[in-house]
Amino acid sequence: MSVDLRTRYLGLELKHPIVASASPLTSSIDSLKRLEAAGVAAVVLPSLFEEQIEHEEMATHNLMLAGAELSPEAHGFFPEMQNYRTGPDQYLELIADAKKALSVPVIASLNGHTPGGWTTIARQLQDAGADAIELNVYFLAASVDDTSAEVEQRYVDLVQSVTRQVSLPVAVKVAPYFSAMANMAARLTKAGASGLVLFNRFLQPDIVLEDLEVSPHLVLSTSDELRLALRWIAILRGRVDASLGATGGAHTPEDVLKLLLAGADCVMLASSLLTKGPRHIGTMMRGVEDWMAEREYASVAQMKGSLSQQSCPDPDAFERANYMKTLQSYTSEFV
Amino acid sequence: MTERSYVLDGNEAAARIAHLTSEVIAIYPITPSSTMGELADEWSAKGRKNIWGMVPEVIEMQSEAGAAGAVHGSLQAGALTTTFTASQGLLLKLPNMFKIAGELTPAVFHIAARTLATHALSIFGDHSDVMAARTTGFALLASSSVQEAQDMAMIAHMSTLKARVPFLHFFDGFRTSHEVNKIDLLQEDEVRSLIDDDLVVAHRSRALNPDRPVIRGTAQNPDVFFQAREACNLYYEAAPGIVQQSMDRFAALTGRRYSLFWYSGAPDAERVLVQMGSGVGASREAVAKLVAAGEKVGLVTVRLYRPFDTQAFVKALPKTVRSIAVLDRTKEPGAIGEPLYQDVVTALVEAWPEGMPAPRVIGGRYGLSSKEYTPAMAKAALDELRAPQPKRHFTVGIVDDVTRLSLKWDPAFDTEAEGVTRAVFYGLGADGTVGATKNTVKIIGENTDLHAQGYFVYDSKKSGAITVSHLRFGPKPIESTYLIDRADFIACHQFEFMEKLDVLALARPGATFLLNSPYGPDEVWDKLPREAQETILARKLRFYVVDALAVAQQAGLAGRINTVTQACFFAISGILPREEAIAKIKDAIRKTYGKRGESVLTRNFAAVDASLAALREVVLPGRADSRLVRRPTVARAAPDFVQRVTAMMLDGKGDLLPVSAMPVDGTFPTGTTQWEKRSIAQEIPIWDETICTQCAICPLVCPHAAIRMNVFTAEEMKRAPAGFKAVPWARKDGGALDGMMYSLQVAPDDCTGCGICVDVCPTRSKTEVKHKAINMAPKLDHLDAERVNYDFYLSLPEVRPPMDSIDGLRGSQLRQPLFEYSGACSGCGETPYLKLLSQLYGDHLMVANATGCSSIYGGNLPSTPWSQNAAGQGPAWANSLFEDNAEFGLGMRLALDAQRDLAQMLVRALRVQIGDPLATELLDSPQDNDEQIRLQRERVKRLKAILPALPSPEAGRLLAVADSLVVRSVWIIGGDGWAYDIGYGGLDHVLASGRNVNILVLDTEVYSNTGGQASKSTQRGAVAKFAAAGKASGKKDLGMIAMAYGNVYVAQVAMGANPVQTVRTFQEAASWDGPSLIIAYSHCIAHGIDMTTGMSHQRDLVKSGYLTLYHHDPRLGMGGADQPLKLDSRKPTLQLEQIAMKEGRYAMLAQSDPARSKQLMKTAQHDANARWQLYEQLAGVHRVVSEDGRADAATGAAAAPAAPAAAGDNKPAATPAQEPTK
């Protein structure tokens, strides 16, 4: 019996739920082609960081000015270039090239920095041919003066401003650190988000003992991290009118199945593809398909959300009781 | 204003025509012509085409001589070919120029005329270079303005094709090459229509071609050479007529009429000036004013100087002329007069109508090295013609109180037209003032009917350099080719200047003064020095302030105040309506910076908008009672020469110094930077003695010798000022220093605030990691205390422990630097090596210094960092040229050895009279360390005391050379442009000589001094000028080439990566009695790095394999005992690309052309891997260096060739890889 693996995410028809999340693998046409050849259903390009663009533009500018007119013998130290290709140019070319090279949907990802930047660049991503936009939002509210309400409002305003400017479906990739995650999800959806991607992972600072330096870097995810997304997808499925993408911690077919059961519309992979290569997509899909066939599921649509909080026999299990139970199961070993 | 109106400088005006009308362009950088080559290269890199639709091929050569050779070859093969140069570069082209002219080959060389080095180098403008080329057979065509730089360039390219005589088109360096002015731009189709295709075809038909072979460049014998040489005469006779035809044809198209000699002035003039070049701008103004006042005076502007058309010249003169003053911008010592003068005299003798009384002719020199030449000076020359006995030869523009040749001039004589707005801007080299004022000239010149002119004056420092921009705007073309001396608007962009400079000196009464001030309109008055207050009140200036730094900061343009001050200038000056001005500034910003990205525009726009709101007029309080007064330029303790001469130059009053103040032979005292006290740092390092480990790295890396360490007795401490910090010397190793006190001291007024010392400090506080053993702190909080401390520190004696009693690093840093407080860029990577050298060998050091950065910060007046110790000993330094430095240094060695040999011979001859053991000791004592050298100096002193009393004539001869019995360390120093390119032939020869010289290459991988052009040391993938698309070829391995000789000590060092190795290799090189080559990696502002981290970045470069540190010591190979090559860095652990991308020169290619960058980086990684592999293998090779390979300098015998490597030796050819030493 063949299983219908198709799923809809952000209004896009995907041939199955496995999507390549933003990673170095989605940053070049060569590796994007390899992902497609390996059967990926859609790709999310690496995030375009507005702050980085600004930084690069100013760095180029300052470079050209450095030492300029310092002495009568040197106007400056670098030749004027034909084109500095600062700004989003390279990224926009990547979108256009990816659209030409691939038949699967191409989702552009944006991390803005200024209100104007989010909207202007989002429009450029749309014009470059992206099929959807993922807003990779992260404000680190490190100021003791910023209240949670203000931070939350910033998210809402931002999503609203972008969704008003573009006609493409917009997904919002968020971190799990909201006091009221469910409420936030609802507000983001209301502000125009067509989908939520749960959850974002960021560079985390580390301390290098040898040099006594702080070094931010990204650690690849493990299956253990899956639980957080699993919980919130299960809770949000049916409660918000948005596609739900799961990201962070899906490494095995079992991980994918769990997320689909909880209610994910698609499952995004990065760490597992980086460690195992694009061909891992095939392994994952075969595992998912085999399991579904064995259990006689007809389609992903049928299975999707069947164990969400609303559909599961024990809704409390996704809330606090779940925590208590886990705790008990641990302590019992030593008591 | 028309659509043809553009504002550009003379270099661009000429280079544009050259690029449009050429197929091959051979270039080499030299100030002030470098811009022409850079533009040609940039245009071709961007695919800009010539008038035939082809992109000209632009090639950088290894020297101007190479460029001339390439031009010659290209011309012989039939391409339309051009080149650009100046000064020494033109001299290097002379041999080929004789050939090109001798072969009647059409070509144009564009020259930004510059002074030739004589008693000193000068980068500024005069005609000494082009005059040196006047015998080559080239036609010499002079431009006197930016407009003419374009027009004469065109006329030269037109004429040469027809005349077959090659042309040297020249205009004055800086005054024309760097002046921006509004010109009528020739359109491409016009250029196209002025070049005759049939002449191009004719040129090609004369080219070498195997299909119709001919031979050229034959050698001829006495039988025919002479006749053959005369065969070209008809062409030279025809050339002036052809040029005039070209000028007429040009006039028909453009309306701008030129002639070979252009007369302006009274039709019935009796007194006439003859002149060429930019000076005619000033002269023309003077003549116009005098004519208007009824005087019968005139001016002949010479355009075609060679071939000199005597008839045309005489025709140009009014028949009424009674006397002529010829003004030459050059000097020919010993000649009857300067060349133009002589030509005028000859022309009159030959062509003046017979029977008419010929005018009297006198000749004068003016404007050497861009010396100001003003209308008042032109008037002085004309006035002289009225004297009953005018000086037949004179100078104007200086005060010659020795030979009394100079004319007096009246500075009050003012010729500037009504309605001209004159504005002067004082800025800091790094603050963007020059860029912004250039932009202002462009905005006004290209967007309004006004004419506009900009000229820019720099000082000779590379850090904290002051720039002065002179801008004029007016309804008529502006030909005032001299600085503004009465300004309507003065802007001072750096508040600190108020205390250092008389920025208001040029303000006319009622002028406007804009000051960038951290103090608002209510506070600023009391912060001004009293002199400034008095001037403001006396001249009733309108006074505005703006806190440009704050506005720029707010807009995200940290430190870049140019946009703010530019907006304020427009707002106050009223040249354009405010709204319109703002819009135009924004347009200009978009045009200039648009390609760099949206945020650059947004931030600059924000700064413009915020500027006007921050601009405030100061209500003058009517009292000048400031307690601040301008500081004296140098301390009272300075020597007489510094007080009388150096201080005047430092004050910007060098123009006032008379001839008698100057040394006659270019000899100047050393140790003069110590009197400058520029105090340019905002922050200075402050020592935390409680955690310092006394590692000595910070004084080692300090580029300015502004942080120093010393040891002294506890007794000395009793004299110390209260705030002076000292701790016990921590290295208790039983040495001489046990029990002494140690101090690390900053020179607060000499520090440039680069922060390198703090970056390299390895010691961190246990409780607060960011706190190190030295930390940058605001200077003003510490200045007073540290001044007192530093004065005390300088009074401490130099202990100078023997170098073998202490590790090299600490030992070197306990020695007094005899290279201090240079004006090099803040954070310079070169100067720490020189300082180290001066610490190790300064008291017996001779330096031959190639032209380049090191000769500029080392030897550009007013001051020199090469200094002296308490005994008055110190480095003796000289610069010869760019191309010959290795040979120059070798010459020093030969002379020293010859004198030593003579001295030794005389000591032997006078042994009895001198007496033993002194004579024997003088001859045989080793001089391998400080103590031995000190003893030898003592002996020489005793010898010199004995000699005068001896009756023998030999005694007198010995006295003259006795000093040469003390060992001299000869170091040949220069950059990679010299060592890898222009001076390589000589360097190679000197390496092969076997002589005891040490060559130190300060390798910045780029021509730093002239603005970052690629050299053969530039690495693959780096963007540099002349390599705008990223250098495609790899770096030349100079060290490997030198090692091939076998008997050369070779080291590759990077102080930031391995300071211990650096110190050790300097010692080994010095002690090797043969040639040594140290290639010292030097980070540079041209790399696009954060200069503060320059040294730690070097460490990363080595870790990535970008650089391999090694030393090759022939001593180790002698007798085959060991491998001469030792690696001093470990196997690379980082990816090359990862580290390279921290440098702007690599990152900008990754940004602009990622595919090419990736490819080049891949190859560069391959280079690095291959290099490491090769060196690792070589480090395992036993190589036998013959004992004879050691130079026998004492007998002057040339070194025997090195024995071939291991071949034939019984030892294995290679041993397992040497473990690198750390």
Side-chain angles (χ1 to χ4, degrees), chain A residues 50-90 93 113-114 120 124 210-213, chain B residues 31 35 42 46 123 174 178 429-430 434 438 458-459 461-462 465 467 556-557 560 593 595-600 603 769 856 1008-1012 1023-1025 1028 1085-1088 1144-1145 1148 1150-1152 1154:
Chain A
E50 188 195 2
E51 198 173 0
Q52 194 169 338
I53 290 175
E54 269 184 25
H55 175 79
E56 278 169 5
E57 286 175 346
M58 289 312 292
T60 303
H61 183 57
N62 289 332
L63 177 71
M64 295 303 290
L65 296 177
E69 311 295 355
L70 204 59
S71 96
E73 306 210 52
H75 288 310
F77 286 90
F78 296 99
E80 242 346 302
M81 307 295 273
Q82 174 82 321
N83 184 354
Y84 294 92
R85 292 165 43 104
T86 53
D89 296 7
Q90 288 194 33
E93 280 168 28
H113 172 56
T114 60
T120 314
Q124 288 172 314
E210 195 184 345
D211 304 326
L212 291 184
E213 276 175 1
Chain B
T31 306
T35 317
E42 247 172 64
K46 291 173 183 170
I123 59 167
F174 285 103
H178 283 54
V434 170
K438 255 184 206 170
Y458 307 77
D459 73 22
K461 303 293 181 196
K462 289 173 190 278
T467 63
L557 295 170
R560 313 291 314 186
Y593 300 149
K595 279 193 282 183
R596 298 182 192 167
E598 201 56 38
S599 41
V600 178
R603 293 181 192 200
V769 173
I856 296 302
S1008 299
N1009 191 51
T1010 46
V1023 168
K1025 287 182 190 161
I1085 189 164
H1087 297 170
R1145 57 179 170 155
M1148 73 192 289
Q1151 186 85 41
S1152 67

Side-chain angles (χ1 to χ4, degrees), chain B residues 342-355:
Chain B
Q342 292 207 44
D343 287 318
V344 166
V345 170
T346 310
L348 289 173
V349 168
E350 291 195 359
W352 188 257
E354 281 187 38

Side-chain angles (χ1 to χ4, degrees), chain B residues 19-333:
Chain B
H19 192 262
L20 279 172
T21 55
S22 299
E23 294 160 328
V24 173
I25 305 177
I27 55 176
Y28 190 77
I30 182 165
T31 306
S33 69
S34 306
T35 317
M36 290 190 276
E38 286 165 20
L39 288 170
D41 181 63
E42 247 172 64
W43 291 333
S44 281
K46 291 173 183 170
R48 205 201 265 196
K49 292 176 177 145
N50 63 20
I51 51 173
W52 299 281
M54 298 297 296
V55 178
E57 180 76 45
V58 179
I59 184 162
E60 181 192 16
M61 296 302 295
Q62 88 285 10
S63 71
E64 289 91 349
V71 166
H72 188 192
S74 170
L75 290 167
Q76 280 301 325
L80 299 170
T81 311
T82 194
T83 185
F84 317 104
T85 197
S87 190
Q88 315 300 130
L90 184 59
L91 292 193
L92 288 177
K93 290 184 177 177
L94 291 180
N96 262 296
M97 290 172 68
F98 280 93
K99 300 279 296 179
I100 292 167
E103 291 159 352
L104 286 177
T105 324
V108 182
F109 286 19
H110 298 273
I111 311 297
R114 160 180 158 182
T115 310
L116 291 179
T118 48
H119 62 289
L121 169 148
S122 167
I123 59 167
F124 294 99
D126 65 36
H127 300 162
S128 52
D129 55 357
V130 290
M131 284 303 187
R134 74 184 192 278
T135 61
T136 55
F138 267 57
L140 266 63
L141 187 64
S143 289
S144 59
S145 66
V146 180
Q147 179 73 58
E148 286 185 25
Q150 170 194 262
D151 295 355
M152 293 303 139
M154 186 69 239
I155 286 161
H157 280 276
M158 290 166 72
S159 305
T160 192
L161 284 168
K162 184 148 190 200
R164 291 192 58 186
V165 173
F167 273 62
L168 193 153
H169 163 235
F170 72 95
F171 42 87
D172 289 357
F174 285 103
R175 189 62 251 184
T176 306
S177 69
H178 283 54
E179 175 185 305
V180 289
N181 209 317
K182 179 171 178 165
I183 73 163
D184 183 273
L185 200 72
L186 278 173
Q187 305 300 297
E188 257 184 69
D189 56 340
E190 292 173 332
V191 177
R192 181 77 189 84
S193 74
L194 289 170
I195 298 286
D196 290 330
D197 275 346
D198 54 340
L199 295 175
V200 176
V201 171
H203 170 61
R204 299 216 202 281
S205 71
R206 293 186 295 264
L208 292 178
N209 182 340
D211 292 338
R212 39 184 167 75
V214 292
I215 179 171
R216 229 172 253 146
T218 56
Q220 298 180 350
N221 299 326
D223 55 346
V224 299
F225 182 94
F226 193 172
Q227 304 92 299
R229 190 74 189 100
E230 295 297 322
C232 66
N233 291 353
L234 291 175
Y235 289 86
Y236 284 88
E237 280 173 24
I242 291 170
V243 174
Q244 189 58 59
Q245 283 167 19
S246 300
M247 287 173 163
D248 295 344
R249 192 168 150 201
F250 183 89
L253 186 74
T254 65
R256 284 192 298 286
R257 186 158 292 285
Y258 295 110
S259 59
L260 308 184
F261 300 95
W262 182 264
Y263 179 76
S264 56
D268 56 349
E270 293 174 354
R271 288 170 289 135
V272 171
L273 294 177
V274 177
Q275 197 175 11
M276 64 181 168
S278 65
V280 302
S283 295
R284 207 174 286 151
E285 281 187 9
V287 165
K289 176 152 182 175
L290 294 171
V291 169
E295 294 203 33
K296 293 182 176 175
V297 295
L299 165 74
V300 172
T301 300
V302 177
R303 292 219 171 79
L304 185 68
Y305 173 59
R306 284 285 185 273
F308 197 106
D309 186 334
T310 55
Q311 294 295 338
F313 173 71
V314 168
K315 220 173 130 197
L317 288 168
K319 295 295 157 273
T320 47
V321 61
R322 305 296 312 135
S323 58
I324 294 173
V326 183
L327 292 170
D328 268 277
R329 199 162 200 160
T330 188
K331 179 175 173 69
E332 260 189 48

Side-chain angles (χ1 to χ4, degrees), chain A residues 247-285:
Chain A
T247 181
H251 285 256
T252 63
E254 292 74 26
D255 294 341
V256 176
L257 288 164
K258 289 176 194 174
L259 289 164
L260 292 174
L261 288 165
D265 294 300
C266 70
V267 177
M268 298 186 178
L269 309 185
S271 297
S272 60
L273 296 183
L274 285 171
T275 49
K276 292 178 182 147
R279 279 192 292 182
H280 187 55
I281 294 167
T283 315
M284 299 274 270
M285 278 322 302

